[in-house]
Amino acid sequence: MIVRRLVSSWALALSLGALAACGDQGPPAAASAASETALANSVWPHDASDLAPDPAVIYGQLDNGMRYIIMENDTPTETAALRMRIDAGSLSESEDQRGLSHFLEHMAFNGSTNVPEGEMIKILERFGLAFGPDTNAFTSFDQIQYQLDLPSVDDELIETGLFLMRETASNLTLDAEAIDKERGIIASEERLRNSFGLRRFVDLIGFLAPDTTLAKRLPIGDLEVIATAPPERFRDIYEAAYRPESTTLVAVGDFDAADMAGRIDAAFGDWQGVGAPGTPPVIGTVNPSRPLEAAFFHDPDVPTFVTINAVKPAEPKPDTLANRRASLLRTLGNGIVSRRFASLSRAPDAVFLNAGAGQANYFDILEIASIDVTTTPENWQAALAIGEQELRRAIDHGFSEAELKEQIANLRTGLKTAAERAATRKSTGLANSLANAINENDVFTTPASSLERFESYADEITPDMVHAAFKAQWADAGGPLIHLSNNTVIPDAEAQTLEAYAASAATPVAPLEDTGNAGFAYTDFGPPGTVVSDERIDDLNIRTLIFENKVRLNLKPTDFEDGVIRISVRIGGGQLEFPQELDGLSTFM
């Protein structure tokens, strides 16, 4: 999956380039005009793709334009998960609406046409659910999502869940007094969430994409707008965003799919939007020809981060086999470079704590390739040099066969595990994945098909192919753009950063020595221990072994997850083992 979206401003990784390795994805293929048109006109991501969607998933659309996704799943039995996604977020807000998308999420629990203020949570608590703003709902840059996990699939609870989702979708009262009560809560949340990570992100994205609204449209919004926006402004954004044609409902659980489809139609079929729909947000553009630049962010709480970035415009691409293969090549290259950093960080004289390479596509507006290094204040120049030189080593000299095989083996293991566990995936996770696939415009495929596709071309991948894809991320992007964060003031930080970068760039780099495959180091675990006790608790299906050295082993087979063994190790007596005068020692350990 190509990362096209930023999730929530609170959930952002401190590095823009941190990407999870995923095997069934993948130099970017240029999107043709035909593919862009197909993508724009498609109802579902698989309409514009050559990838087969999971046949267990039912896709439907009501006459009013609302979409729904249904999947039967019996893990856990007699439970279900509902997700309602609104295709609008903080990026859709005007200047005088900043923060109101998130504010509306809170207002969903403060009164609707058929549920008085304060009653929604009480209704759900009667069924044993915890539900509330920022607990079972979230607002991000490009979506608002409501989440409800049902502990039972009896008719009353399903009807109640769908009823409350519909109340949220179209019937919020947005009472002036209720809005005023909530203003202070939002302001308190802003203060709580205002961490160094968020402040650094705002500075970083403002530097990398200054001609876009990304840094000015955080979901929490603007405190002045939050404190003063009149009720009619809430109503404007509510009617523009909460519309059937902008809504997708996901239902996964131990129920009959046809019955659920009928219930969704009954609950939402008569919903009609009010007024004019919202217009697509104008996010802005990025300049691919910016020269080498540096920026400095100082915050007393921030660790020392150095990032080297290549920024260029992005373009929409459908989720196809070719684009997944292309994404896979980028993932492999970034994985190899990140693996090199991991090896260097373990050296006794390492000048950085950790580092990684990544690439991401944000909102089909900008692509960012990055090298991110975490270090200590006194070592930032040396860490910058490590990042610059390892990036240049990869670009100039490429990768070895052994490095590629390691990454492919890791991906293959992950894909095999996912395929083996597919039958016991939990409904909550499936509902989240389906909602996320819609948000990312990705085709929801089966884990088995992902593994099959990977195996069909994994043996054809060569180091040269991965090298070409890695270089392409950094080509035609100007710069690079270097961002330094530190908790102490650095005089003339931008000039010092550029000077350190130039000095590093003048240092020759040689190809990495190919040491080949060293093999698995852990093959001898010593003589086996002696069992002195072997007991069983038949009604709980638990077997307890005690060894001669007093170690106790409890074994319990379950069928909750296919192909999975979970291991938990408990040592000592917890906090009681630590001396009272050394408070905090356990945290360090």
Side-chain angles (χ1 to χ4, degrees):
M1 178 184 69
I2 301 173
V3 178
R4 302 192 309 107
R5 312 286 185 184
L6 299 170
V7 187
S8 155
S9 61
W10 338 127
L12 286 169
L14 296 182
S15 161
L16 285 172
L19 291 178
C22 177
D24 188 28
Q25 38 169 284
S32 66
S35 67
E36 290 187 16
T37 300
L39 183 61
N41 294 335
S42 61
V43 173
W44 301 104
H46 51 263
D47 293 337
S49 176
D50 54 1
L51 295 166
D54 187 334
V57 180
I58 296 173
Y59 296 87
Q61 187 172 26
L62 303 181
D63 291 340
N64 59 11
M66 177 179 161
R67 299 185 297 175
Y68 61 84
I69 303 172
I70 301 173
M71 185 179 188
E72 295 182 11
N73 186 65
D74 60 1
T75 305
T77 58
E78 298 295 318
T79 67
L82 302 178
R83 303 290 183 263
M84 184 173 71
R85 177 186 177 274
I86 309 297
D87 190 23
S90 58
L91 284 174
S92 301
E93 298 167 349
S94 61
E95 191 68 20
D96 63 357
Q97 294 174 332
R98 292 173 58 186
L100 297 193
S101 296
H102 172 250
F103 205 140
L104 278 174
E105 170 203 320
H106 282 242
M107 295 309 299
F109 309 92
N110 284 282
S112 63
T113 302
N114 299 297
V115 181
E117 181 183 351
E119 286 299 312
M120 180 180 286
I121 294 176
K122 293 179 182 179
I123 291 173
L124 289 169
E125 286 177 342
R126 286 198 288 271
F127 290 99
L129 286 87
F131 202 70
D134 300 320
T135 300
N136 289 78
F138 69 84
T139 301
S140 70
F141 286 86
D142 61 349
Q143 67 169 322
I144 304 165
Q145 191 177 133
Y146 296 90
Q147 305 170 322
L148 185 58
D149 297 334
L150 306 180
S152 168
V153 289
D154 65 66
D155 291 346
E156 184 182 9
L157 185 51
I158 289 179
E159 292 293 336
T160 299
L162 292 173
F163 162 73
L164 293 178
M165 289 290 196
R166 171 61 193 275
E167 287 293 291
T168 299
S170 64
N171 295 329
L172 298 187
T173 53
L174 302 178
D175 177 75
E177 186 175 344
I179 288 173
D180 288 339
K181 289 179 182 178
E182 201 71 21
R183 295 185 197 271
I185 295 174
I186 304 292
S188 297
E189 184 176 335
E190 191 277 341
R191 289 189 292 269
L192 177 66
R193 305 295 188 181
N194 189 14
S195 65
F196 74 82
L198 179 61
R199 295 191 294 272
R200 176 181 177 265
F201 164 74
V202 172
D203 191 82
L204 174 59
I205 200 66
F207 169 59
L208 298 180
D211 298 324
T212 72
T213 59
L214 291 177
K216 300 175 182 178
R217 289 294 184 273
L218 298 183
I220 195 61
D222 179 82
L223 288 179
E224 179 66 20
V225 173
I226 291 167
T228 62
E232 56 266 25
R233 199 170 300 162
F234 287 80
R235 178 63 60 182
D236 289 343
I237 197 169
Y238 181 56
E239 293 178 354
Y242 286 62
R243 310 178 63 85
E245 67 270 23
S246 301
T247 301
T248 303
L249 186 80
V250 178
V252 181
D254 194 8
F255 47 65
D256 178 76
D259 177 69
M260 178 59 72
R263 293 175 185 268
I264 293 172
D265 192 9
F268 291 90
D270 63 347
W271 177 24
Q272 296 296 321
V274 178
T279 57
V282 179
I283 303 173
T285 59
V286 296
N287 178 8
S289 302
R290 287 172 66 184
L292 172 65
E293 294 181 45
F296 175 63
F297 173 68
H298 166 252
D299 189 292
D301 297 324
V302 73
T304 304
F305 296 108
V306 180
T307 69
I308 304 170
N309 307 276
V311 180
K312 53 188 173 183
E315 56 185 8
K317 301 181 182 71
D319 183 18
T320 62
L321 178 60
N323 285 331
R324 289 198 183 191
R325 287 185 177 185
S327 179
L328 171 62
L329 297 180
R330 291 195 296 272
T331 297
L332 291 169
N334 288 320
I336 291 173
V337 175
S338 296
R339 180 70 175 84
R340 290 179 178 181
F341 281 128
S343 297
L344 293 170
S345 71
R346 291 193 289 268
D349 58 348
V351 296
F352 67 99
L353 305 176
N354 54 69
Q359 190 265 358
N361 177 325
Y362 296 103
F363 309 104
D364 290 328
I365 296 296
L366 68 155
E367 289 183 359
I368 302 175
S370 60
I371 298 292
D372 307 291
V373 187
T374 307
T375 183
T376 54
E378 68 276 10
N379 285 322
W380 71 265
Q381 288 113 322
L384 171 60
I386 289 287
E388 186 279 328
Q389 289 170 29
E390 290 308 314
L391 171 61
R392 188 154 40 93
R393 193 188 316 277
I395 290 175
D396 291 351
H397 301 295
F399 310 119
S400 69
E401 185 70 36
E403 289 178 310
L404 175 59
K405 285 184 176 180
E406 180 185 31
Q407 294 299 313
I408 288 178
N410 290 338
L411 289 171
R412 177 177 283 118
T413 298
L415 290 167
K416 283 183 176 179
T417 300
E420 291 168 356
R421 297 176 58 182
T424 52
R425 290 173 292 175
K426 294 182 178 180
S427 294
T428 52
L430 286 167
N432 292 337
S433 296
L434 283 162
N436 186 64
I438 294 302
N439 194 60
E440 302 289 341
N441 207 35
D442 287 339
V443 181
F444 186 84
T445 59
T446 66
S449 70
S450 295
L451 176 61
E452 183 181 357
R453 282 188 296 274
F454 175 78
E455 296 292 8
S456 71
Y457 52 74
D459 292 342
E460 303 171 4
I461 300 173
T462 66
D464 287 344
M465 293 166 62
V466 176
H467 183 208
F470 184 84
K471 289 193 298 182
Q473 298 175 125
W474 293 86
D476 304 320
L481 308 178
I482 306 169
H483 190 270
L484 169 64
S485 305
N486 201 39
N487 57 19
T488 59
V489 175
I490 300 175
D492 298 320
E494 290 84 357
Q496 285 201 53
T497 300
L498 293 175
E499 184 178 321
Y501 182 83
S504 175
T507 304
V509 292
L512 196 69
E513 182 183 357
D514 187 357
T515 58
N517 188 350
F520 187 62
Y522 304 96
T523 57
D524 184 2
F525 297 94
T530 300
V531 176
V532 298
S533 175
D534 186 349
E535 299 181 353
R536 297 175 185 270
I537 305 176
D538 292 333
D539 58 334
L540 297 178
N541 198 19
I542 294 176
R543 180 183 180 187
T544 299
L545 305 174
I546 300 177
F547 295 88
E548 191 175 34
N549 59 1
K550 311 300 184 185
V551 171
R552 179 188 300 266
L553 172 64
N554 296 313
L555 301 171
K556 179 178 175 64
T558 71
D559 57 3
F560 302 147
E561 298 172 288
D562 289 343
V564 176
I565 298 175
R566 296 199 178 275
I567 301 173
S568 173
V569 181
R570 297 184 180 184
I571 301 175
Q575 294 283 2
L576 295 177
E577 298 282 353
F578 295 91
Q580 189 173 1
E581 66 272 14
L582 294 178
D583 186 36
L585 182 61
S586 62
T587 301
F588 280 101
M589 293 189 66

